[in-house]
Amino acid sequence: MSGIPVSVCRACGWRGFPARLWCPRCGADHVGSDEVESGVVEARTTLRRAAGRVLDAPVEIATVALAGGGRAVVRVDGAGGARVATTVEDGAPVARPLHDEDDDEEA
């Protein structure tokens, strides 16, 4: 599994999603890339309609603070806590709940 690709400014350290050609913080064009495989959910919502139509099934989306910096809006697969694993599927960012070992022992 690979993570979400983020831009990383080599001049000031800014990190963000989606990919950028230049840094929105300092304006530098020395932007590289990295993959982020986890993050923390900051906010969630459920979509039931899309562009004038009812969806076949509700879709949960979330804003995720990515490990190391930056944020992404992602589709959430599965219920769970705030910590998530991130990946890209069919071109879209997706998050799935991460479970701590402590959580598994309590279940």
Side-chain angles (χ1 to χ4, degrees):
M1 176 190 312
S2 62
I4 292 177
V6 296
S7 292
V8 180
C9 179
R10 303 292 186 223
C12 73
W14 174 88
R15 296 169 61 90
F17 175 85
R20 309 286 174 96
L21 298 175
W22 54 271
C23 176
R25 180 190 290 161
C26 72
D29 62 356
H30 305 302
V31 178
S33 63
D34 193 7
E35 286 191 353
V36 178
E37 296 184 355
S38 66
V40 175
V41 172
E42 293 183 320
R44 293 178 190 240
T45 192
T46 301
L47 302 178
R48 291 180 174 77
R49 299 186 59 81
R53 64 183 173 91
V54 175
L55 297 172
D56 294 333
V59 175
E60 187 173 9
I61 63 170
T63 301
V64 174
L66 300 170
R71 287 176 174 70
V73 176
V74 302
R75 183 183 80 227
V76 178
D77 282 350
R83 293 187 54 231
V84 292
T86 57
T87 188
V88 174
E89 295 177 5
D90 297 324
V94 177
R96 290 190 175 81
L98 277 176
H99 300 288
D100 292 331
E101 292 177 15
D102 295 338
D103 293 343
D104 292 340
E105 292 174 4
E106 293 174 12

